[in-house]
Amino acid sequence: MGEKRRKNRGEAADRFDRENENGEYENEQRKKQKKQIENKGEILPSMIKNKEKRSEVHAKLKHQKKLDKRKKIKARDAAEKRALELGEEPPPKSVPRTIENTREFDETVCKPDDEERGPAFISELLSVIPNAHYYKRGTYDLKKIVEYANKKDFTSIIVVHTNRREPDALLIIGLPDGPTAHFKLSKLLLRKDIKNHGNPTSHKPELVLNNFTTRLGHRIGRLIQTLFPQDPNFRGRRVVTFHNQRDFIFFRHHRYIFESKESKQNDAESKKAKDAKAEKASQEKVLARLQECGPRFTLKLISLQNGTFDTKGGEYEWVHKPEMDTSRRRFFL
């Protein structure tokens, strides 16, 4: 107990010394400022101890500031008139320094020339999914939207969630009875940002699902299948791919074309038959070329809910939790 008290007393004493040092430093600075003002011959109201005299000096200084301000305005107006008479450009107006225009830089501030990636991403999704329609949600409740879509015989609903003008999540609702899948969206790359991109046609695309092997994976794969018609137009040569790798679903959209090239090879049998004379046989080799149309993004399943969207009474089939990631070799899709 004795040692602790001594220690506490020592800390309090050190703190007291530091405060005294800071106070002395501030007093010295104030004295220096007063000396500088006295050397210039100026008298501040704060230097006067008499209250009446101090208020009188303060009123004089305030009146003098108003006069100086009027003189500056008159001089500026005269300079503008003179410039207009001579046909010259008037002097630039000085911008007052305020708290608003000197605020600290913030990356999240939206500028007028900033592009919103949400609408651009939605328009490209509409070009990928046939027979898709876009409706602005506004303030409508999602349950009412589901009821409206069921009455209009829609097969699915996709809700795009944006954060700071960046799409960061997708909600896919299968109609009329679900399920509802919530995905995290990342690494979005729009069509214009893809080098040598192609432009998709209006043909119904082919769908490729890779590596959806578990029961949960089959469930997600069937939900994705409901977004696309089951009768693709092969003449359009469009293909949409959802590739699952380590529970990350990579989305790609391509156009393909098959090319045949001739490759000349030596026939071994003709060599043996004609001794040293080789006979060149031409064979056709078929090559496939791909051109990406975009967009390009990655999905990560967060939850799968049985039925349509319901945050209160909904039954969740699967929810990803951090404690589930016990091994790097454990996957769920």
Side-chain angles (χ1 to χ4, degrees), residues 17-167:
D17 293 339
R18 286 196 299 269
E19 290 176 356
N20 286 339
E21 289 176 0
N22 294 333
E24 290 175 0
Y25 176 76
E26 291 176 358
N27 291 332
E28 289 178 1
Q29 293 296 321
R30 288 174 185 171
K31 289 179 182 178
K32 287 181 181 179
Q33 290 176 358
K34 285 183 178 180
K35 284 182 181 179
Q36 291 176 359
I37 293 169
E38 289 174 357
N39 292 333
K40 291 181 181 178
E42 297 178 2
I43 299 174
L44 295 177
S46 59
M47 299 167 61
I48 302 172
K49 294 182 180 181
N50 192 319
K51 185 177 180 181
E52 293 181 358
K53 187 69 176 177
R54 185 169 62 245
S55 59
E56 184 182 348
V57 173
H58 176 72
K60 288 182 179 180
L61 289 174
K62 194 173 181 181
H63 180 67
Q64 187 63 35
K65 282 183 179 180
K66 284 185 179 180
L67 294 176
D68 294 341
K69 189 175 181 180
R70 287 177 185 174
K71 286 181 181 179
K72 287 181 181 179
I73 293 171
K74 287 182 179 179
R76 186 185 63 193
D77 293 341
E80 287 181 358
K81 285 183 180 179
R82 197 180 305 110
L84 290 172
E85 290 174 358
L86 297 173
E88 299 176 355
E89 292 185 0
K93 294 182 179 180
S94 59
V95 180
R97 186 180 177 86
T98 61
I99 295 175
E100 284 78 11
N101 59 22
T102 57
R103 66 177 293 177
E104 295 179 358
F105 177 74
D106 189 359
E107 295 179 353
T108 63
V109 174
C110 299
K111 298 179 182 178
D113 56 346
D114 286 348
E115 292 186 358
E116 291 192 18
R117 298 187 71 185
F121 174 60
I122 291 170
S123 64
E124 293 192 9
L125 269 186
L126 293 175
S127 66
V128 172
I129 303 173
N131 304 322
H133 303 276
Y134 170 65
Y135 296 94
K136 194 172 183 179
R137 180 180 176 181
T139 58
Y140 288 102
D141 189 12
L142 199 53
K143 288 185 178 180
K144 293 182 179 180
I145 295 175
V146 171
E147 292 177 2
Y148 175 81
N150 277 326
K151 290 179 182 178
K152 294 293 183 179
D153 295 328
F154 282 91
T155 58
S156 301
I157 295 175
I158 299 178
V159 181
V160 179
H161 181 269
T162 59
N163 184 19
R164 297 174 183 175
R165 300 190 177 190
E166 288 285 336

Side-chain angles (χ1 to χ4, degrees), residues 7 19 32 62 67 82 106 121 145 165 169 171 187 201 209 212 235 244 246 251 260 280 288 292-293 303 305:
K7 187 176 181 181
E19 290 176 356
K32 287 181 181 179
K62 194 173 181 181
L67 294 176
R82 197 180 305 110
D106 189 359
F121 174 60
I145 295 175
R165 300 190 177 190
L171 191 70
K187 297 183 180 179
T201 59
L209 297 173
F212 292 87
R235 290 185 178 181
N244 174 42
R246 300 179 184 177
F251 174 87
S260 58
K280 296 180 180 179
E292 190 170 0
C293 299
S303 65
Q305 186 179 0

Side-chain angles (χ1 to χ4, degrees), residues 182-231:
H182 184 201
F183 296 95
K184 179 185 176 182
L185 189 147
S186 60
K187 297 183 180 179
L188 174 62
L189 199 64
L190 298 177
R191 184 179 302 144
K192 64 176 184 178
D193 300 323
I194 298 174
K195 189 177 181 180
N196 299 325
H197 66 84
N199 295 317
T201 59
S202 59
H203 296 85
K204 296 177 183 177
E206 306 168 43
L207 180 64
V208 177
L209 297 173
N210 286 335
N211 205 20
F212 292 87
T213 55
T214 64
R215 290 183 180 179
L216 180 63
H218 279 257
R219 188 94 159 118
I220 296 300
R222 285 193 294 269
L223 179 62
I224 293 172
Q225 285 177 348
T226 60
L227 301 175
F228 297 88
Q230 303 300 313
D231 53 343

